[in-house]
Amino acid sequence: MPTLDADTTTNEVIAQVSLAGKLALVTGASSGLGVETSRALTSAGAGVIMSARDQGKLDAAMAEVREAVPSAELEPLLMDLADLDSVRSAAARVLETYQAVDLLINNAGVMACPLMRTTQGYEMQFGTNHLGHFLFTALVAPALIAAAPARVVNLSSGGHKFANVNLDDPNYLRRDYDKWQAYGESKTANILFTVGLDARLRDRGVRAYAVHPGVIMTGLARHMQEADFKLLSERAPGEAPLSFKSVEQGAATSVWAAVAPELADKGGIYLENCQIGKPAVQGADSGVESYALDATAAERLWALSETLVGQSFDL
């Protein structure tokens, strides 16, 4: 196989891979990376549960995947990650309907939104990007364990470099709100959650990976204005201008994390450009910050997350 890199597409990753008999679940599957990830997995023979919060958009996305892959086996799952009651109901439906889930791609997210709150009152980016996925993953863990070897792929971002997670005030109750700082904190939380999840489930055959997809123009950027792209370029550590990927290139690392045989005995790691991310170097826009892989911080975040969702998990 040729060397995989930033230009690699989903079709190149999935070529020669068979996922026949496997079941994947993709959150945020109504647009962008979620649709492309679902398409790629079905093209390799996997059944895919496509999850989103809007029925109309989900129906359209499923139709798009079926048009590309007529043999696609798809199931819808309505879930609003910004409402923990909705998350619990969706997880219960999964466990009632499916004995085993081989791949969980936690793809959904919000980025750089104004100060907003989830149904339970949590800051929207932390609440949706992290807490919703934390709860859903922990609840459906029995289905992942039943499918072992199984994998969980958590979409993070190079934006984790903007900020470490603030474990004392994650919901901006006592701080001035900065949407990019909040985004960075939620993306760091995604990586720390990956570290904590892998530590709990690796001995049971479930591995977890955090993925930076790159910068892609998708619906995720719906809250962004021209000034935001300028600010994003200024905050990015690298000196080069922002480099954009196609959706097919952006989803490639998620698909690679889900299927790459060379990752079978690895987990709790950060992936980018279809490679294992290297430690961050000052001034570079690639790599993973050490605070995002800190095992002690991961345990603190896990305990805090259990408190916020009001449920403990013995995984």
Side-chain angles (χ1 to χ4, degrees), residues 9-305:
T9 65
T10 46
N11 283 341
E12 291 171 309
V13 170
I14 211 73
Q16 311 305 317
V17 172
S18 173
L19 295 176
K22 303 292 186 182
L23 180 64
L25 193 159
V26 181
T27 71
S30 62
S31 65
L33 298 181
V35 175
E36 175 57 20
T37 300
S38 299
R39 183 208 63 79
L41 296 174
T42 59
S43 74
V48 177
I49 304 166
M50 296 177 66
S51 178
R53 63 178 178 168
D54 184 286
Q55 183 70 64
K57 291 180 180 179
L58 184 55
D59 289 343
M62 293 176 69
E64 182 180 341
V65 173
R66 286 197 175 103
E67 183 176 358
V69 186
S71 62
E73 295 183 6
L74 304 175
E75 293 291 339
L77 178 69
L78 279 179
M79 175 172 63
D80 183 355
L81 286 159
D83 181 350
L84 298 184
D85 292 335
S86 174
V87 171
R88 287 189 167 89
S89 295
R93 290 197 297 276
V94 170
L95 294 179
E96 289 166 3
T97 309
Y98 308 100
Q99 291 186 334
V101 175
D102 301 272
L103 303 169
L104 172 57
I105 317 294
N106 286 323
N107 167 82
V110 292
M111 179 173 71
C113 60
L115 179 58
M116 300 163 64
R117 302 251 172 226
T118 66
T119 301
Q120 284 74 28
Y122 303 123
E123 188 276 314
M124 184 62 73
Q125 297 187 83
F126 180 77
T128 302
N129 297 349
H130 170 62
L131 276 183
H133 281 128
F134 169 85
L135 179 60
F136 183 71
T137 304
L139 289 172
V140 302
L144 294 163
I145 293 167
R151 298 187 185 189
V152 178
V153 180
N154 295 317
L155 268 284
S156 179
S157 167
H160 80 276
K161 296 173 180 295
F162 295 163
N164 194 355
V165 65
N166 186 315
L167 296 172
D168 296 318
D169 186 22
N171 293 300
Y172 284 84
L173 300 177
R174 300 181 299 277
R175 296 182 286 160
D176 290 337
Y177 181 72
D178 179 305
K179 62 185 179 182
W180 284 112
Q181 178 174 301
Y183 177 67
E185 290 180 19
S186 75
K187 294 291 99 179
T188 295
N190 291 147
I191 305 172
L192 290 172
F193 170 49
T194 300
V195 172
L197 184 67
D198 191 79
R200 284 164 173 77
L201 294 184
R202 61 191 173 206
D203 290 341
R204 306 183 76 176
V206 181
R207 304 310 302 256
Y209 312 90
V211 163
H212 170 40
V215 183
I216 311 102
M217 284 304 298
T218 68
L220 186 66
R222 61 187 175 275
H223 294 291
M224 292 177 64
Q225 301 171 348
E226 185 176 347
D228 289 313
F229 287 104
K230 182 175 184 295
L231 181 63
L232 188 59
S233 295
E234 291 172 351
R235 288 203 180 190
E239 297 180 1
L242 282 178
S243 176
F244 289 89
K245 288 186 177 186
S246 69
V247 172
E248 293 79 11
Q249 292 168 334
T253 303
S254 295
V255 175
W256 183 68
V259 305
E262 59 267 39
L263 295 176
D265 62 347
K266 298 178 176 63
I269 53 178
Y270 176 86
L271 312 176
E272 59 184 348
N273 298 328
C274 297
Q275 301 284 338
I276 297 174
K278 295 179 170 57
V281 176
Q282 188 170 4
D285 59 5
S286 62
V288 58
E289 299 294 334
S290 59
Y291 57 70
L293 295 174
D294 184 88
T296 300
E299 290 306 306
R300 288 186 62 201
L301 176 64
W302 190 283
L304 173 64
S305 301

